Amino acid sequence: MRFLLSSALLLVCSGAFAAPTAITNVKGYHILAQSGLTQFDTLVFEQGKVLASGNADLLKQYPQAKVLDGKGETLLPGLIDAHGHLLGLGENLLQVDLRGLSSAHASAEEVKRYHRANPTLDWVVGRGWNQVLWPQKAFPTASQLDEFIPDTPVWLERVDGHAAWVNSKALKIAGITKDTLDPPGGQIIRDAQGNPTGVLIDNAMWLVAEHLPASDTTMMQASLNAATQHLLSLGITSMHDAGVNHQTYDFYQQQALNAQLQVRIYAMLSAADPKLTEMLEAGPIQDGQDMLWIRSVKGFADGALGSRGAAMLEAYSDDSHNHGLLLTPEADLPALFELVLSSGFQLNVHAIGDRGNRLVLDNFAQAYEKVGGQSLRNRIEHAQVVSLEDIPRFKDLNIIASMQPVHATSDMNMAEDRIGKARLKGAYAWQTFLKQGTVLAAGSDFPVELANAFHGLHAAVTREDHEGQPPGGWQPAERLSVEQALRAFTLDGAYAAHQEKVLGNLESGKWADFILIDRNIFEIPPAQIWQTQVQQTWVAGQQRFQRKE
């Protein structure tokens, strides 16, 4: 493993020692691997690491400690989002946001307002539209954008990132016409005459995406800063970045060397990057402060359910000729699995449909026979719709289910339309996975969903939306307890990154990453968990966020 020694670590090693800090009068909770949920009222830490947690008698053992009054607030370990897109979140915070808008027309009007406020942009870029929320549930068209912005190219990603809505100017720049063929793993949506309508699914998105302005260090820095401050305000101290290219790989290492990272990053290399082999040959990377780890690869099997790109064993219930898409050709999967596992890197593969999940499981089984790698804690990202006969294979193959609870509450209004009631029995099956002993790592998939982990905790525990619908929860047998949900967002998130010895709870010797929140999630009605506000966020014993009064 290659270690990056940051300037912050060198300062610590030089002997700049401070007295311990103790925070007391808190309602502290964390999950211990053997004993489960454990409470404490005092936490003592020094030089970024936990010394001890327990009752107020600890203060007698550390008479020189600086004592902070927690004022009775609830203290939790820093939350770990096991699947997000850090720079994508930052970009989203800096671009036009279409999340939750009620129609294509309203979305186009919002794009126009953004364009008026930013008239010098070469492209108008945004994200968040979701046709499932619109009255006709139909895909939007280029002409709807042309009405407002005819002369500047527009690129708008669907909320799940698996489709793009563009205007005619963008189609012209990309040379997309009636005669353009669908690329493998992608689809150009067309009208009755075969003309492109302005929506591109999965791999077809690249036909336009390659013409977008190239990201540079200045843009990446602005995105990183915006995303970092946002995550810290939500109590997220560590995140797993699901698919970084070579440019981002270099950028993150430089940020770590300069001690500029304030949120911990467990980065997955993009399997699609042309320099994947070069990055694998460089070996795993870990900086001295555990702010950056790179020892995994993110691959893709299929698309997403909302855009009917998830690969299904049987046709979609609401589109009888459509079985979804494979983003990586089936014939290419064995070589990818063998390359990554033989390099000693964890492999984390996006699979949403039941066919996508089966293909990934099959390829893990075959790769284990050829090159080994079963001990690498490999993961299936999303594991959203799984055939009932395939669920036990997660346990047999030692596969971690990396899932996003908010996907269930976001998708529940369309999932049955897409796949019918029978296939829902293996969908968003969190409790079923846990009961068989599969490790469940929870995330949000931001910016596909909002980054607020308390929304994820709420969805995991209730399987209801914020209005309490449906009463009792959607597919309620798969609900989690608050303890199970917190574990998935802390200790098991750390385990899924090989980091349970340094993160995930507040045991002695681990990093002092913790948060103070405005309510006790173990005592309030579960329906209120999503309303939780983070008051303070600490990373390595340093306060990184304080909510303003």
Side-chain angles (χ1 to χ4, degrees):
M1 179 172 288
R2 183 152 58 94
F3 288 91
L4 303 175
L5 294 180
S6 72
S7 57
L9 176 63
L10 294 176
L11 284 173
V12 170
C13 293
S14 67
F17 300 121
T21 300
I23 183 166
T24 190
N25 186 24
V26 296
K27 296 178 180 178
Y29 298 87
H30 63 166
I31 310 292
L32 300 180
Q34 301 303 320
S35 53
L37 185 66
T38 302
Q39 299 185 45
F40 56 90
D41 61 34
T42 301
L43 179 72
V44 185
F45 51 95
E46 182 179 45
Q47 295 182 42
K49 298 283 186 75
V50 175
L51 293 175
S53 62
N55 60 36
D57 289 343
L58 279 175
L59 299 178
K60 299 175 183 177
Q61 300 178 35
Y62 302 96
Q64 295 180 335
K66 176 185 176 182
V67 180
L68 304 177
D69 184 0
K71 300 179 180 179
E73 290 186 331
T74 296
L75 187 150
L76 302 175
L79 300 175
I80 299 173
D81 190 307
H83 186 112
H85 306 276
L86 188 61
L87 297 187
L89 171 64
E91 291 168 1
N92 197 63
L93 292 168
L94 299 172
Q95 296 169 354
V96 59
D97 185 4
L98 306 178
R99 188 186 304 273
L101 295 182
S102 60
S103 67
H105 185 81
S107 299
E109 286 186 321
E110 182 64 23
V111 172
K112 178 61 176 177
R113 281 191 289 272
Y114 179 84
H115 185 231
R116 282 176 177 167
N118 301 274
T120 62
L121 292 174
D122 294 329
W123 282 72
V124 175
V125 177
R127 184 169 181 156
W129 61 272
N130 184 358
Q131 85 285 359
V132 174
L133 303 178
W134 301 344
Q136 304 303 319
K137 303 185 187 301
F139 278 133
T141 64
S143 62
Q144 291 169 309
L145 290 172
D146 296 342
E147 179 183 349
F148 295 96
I149 308 180
D151 301 320
T152 301
V154 178
W155 166 271
L156 306 169
E157 289 190 37
R158 192 180 184 275
V159 66
D160 59 10
H162 286 268
W165 173 23
V166 300
N167 65 353
S168 295
K169 182 72 171 181
L171 291 172
K172 183 177 180 180
I173 289 172
I176 298 174
T177 69
K178 182 177 183 178
D179 299 322
T180 304
L181 299 177
D182 288 349
Q187 181 184 8
I188 301 168
I189 301 297
R190 307 172 191 269
D191 63 19
Q193 288 73 46
N195 297 304
T197 63
V199 170
L200 310 168
I201 307 294
D202 288 317
N203 286 351
M205 297 166 67
W206 292 107
L207 300 173
V208 173
E210 65 180 355
H211 298 279
L212 292 170
S215 181
D216 59 21
T217 301
T218 300
M219 293 172 60
M220 295 170 76
Q221 188 69 62
S223 296
L224 176 63
N225 293 345
T228 295
Q229 294 308 309
H230 185 64
L231 293 181
L232 290 172
S233 75
L234 298 172
I236 296 170
T237 58
S238 179
M239 62 81 59
H240 301 177
D241 203 341
V244 304
N245 60 20
H246 187 265
Q247 182 185 24
T248 307
Y249 168 84
D250 285 341
F251 174 71
Y252 282 168
Q253 290 184 70
Q254 192 60 51
Q255 292 289 306
L257 283 169
N258 294 336
Q260 295 299 305
L261 296 176
Q262 296 189 55
V263 168
R264 302 186 190 279
I265 301 172
Y266 181 77
M268 311 176 198
L269 304 175
S270 170
D273 193 281
K275 294 185 177 181
L276 174 63
T277 300
E278 176 184 321
M279 292 186 284
L280 291 174
E281 290 175 348
I285 291 167
Q286 178 182 344
D287 87 305
Q289 296 285 78
D290 294 320
M291 296 304 296
L292 176 66
W293 283 37
I294 305 176
R295 57 166 301 169
S296 63
V297 173
K298 163 74 178 304
F300 274 92
D302 59 354
L305 198 62
S307 52
R308 299 186 186 86
M312 305 302 300
L313 294 168
E314 302 294 336
Y316 279 85
S317 299
D318 58 357
D319 189 353
S320 60
H321 299 290
N322 185 3
H323 285 71
L325 300 167
L326 291 179
L327 301 193
T328 304
E330 185 173 354
D332 293 349
L333 289 172
L336 171 64
F337 278 63
E338 291 172 24
L339 171 66
V340 174
L341 298 182
S342 64
S343 299
F345 274 61
Q346 176 192 55
L347 180 57
N348 307 328
V349 187
H350 165 120
I352 288 183
D354 51 13
R355 183 184 176 216
N357 277 278
R358 181 169 293 178
L359 278 174
V360 174
L361 292 166
D362 288 346
N363 276 276
F364 272 126
Q366 293 162 14
Y368 290 165
E369 290 289 328
K370 290 187 176 182
V371 300
Q374 191 161 355
S375 64
L376 292 171
R377 303 184 189 177
N378 303 301
R379 298 159 44 168
I380 291 184
E381 304 299 313
H382 310 307
Q384 209 160 294
V385 181
V386 184
S387 170
L388 291 176
E389 62 188 274
D390 286 330
I391 288 178
R393 300 178 68 197
F394 278 72
K395 178 63 174 175
D396 296 340
L397 295 170
N398 197 31
I399 302 298
I400 293 169
S402 174
M403 304 178 76
Q404 300 74 46
V406 284
H407 280 344
T409 49
S410 292
D411 293 354
M412 62 186 179
N413 292 325
M414 66 83 179
E416 187 170 340
D417 292 339
R418 291 286 187 273
I419 62 174
K421 188 169 292 187
R423 285 183 283 189
L424 284 179
K425 294 178 181 178
Y428 316 88
W430 315 320
Q431 193 64 251
T432 298
F433 279 117
L434 286 182
K435 285 180 178 177
Q436 70 176 17
T438 294
V439 173
L440 178 62
S444 66
D445 200 10
F446 62 73
V448 173
E449 302 281 358
L450 296 176
N452 193 325
F454 290 98
H455 291 188
L457 287 161
H458 169 265
V461 173
T462 69
R463 292 179 75 100
E464 298 175 350
D465 64 20
H466 294 174
E467 285 71 49
Q469 299 299 318
W474 181 64
Q475 307 285 106
E478 297 296 345
R479 290 177 303 193
L480 302 181
S481 68
V482 178
E483 178 180 341
Q484 288 174 324
L486 181 63
R487 179 169 184 144
F489 274 102
T490 54
L491 185 59
D492 283 352
Y495 178 88
H498 297 266
Q499 294 178 325
E500 76 279 5
K501 293 183 179 179
V502 295
L503 299 176
N505 59 26
L506 295 166
E507 290 180 290
S508 176
K510 293 189 178 182
W511 290 107
D513 296 357
F514 61 90
I515 62 176
L516 293 168
I517 57 178
D518 69 346
R519 64 199 72 197
N520 188 330
I521 61 172
F522 290 94
E523 294 180 356
I524 62 173
Q528 297 176 13
I529 291 175
W530 70 271
Q531 299 171 357
T532 301
Q533 296 284 315
V534 174
Q535 304 297 95
Q536 296 180 28
T537 300
W538 294 64
V539 180
Q542 297 293 317
Q543 187 174 341
R544 300 291 188 188
F545 170 77
Q546 171 73 57
R547 183 166 299 281
K548 296 178 181 179
E549 297 295 336

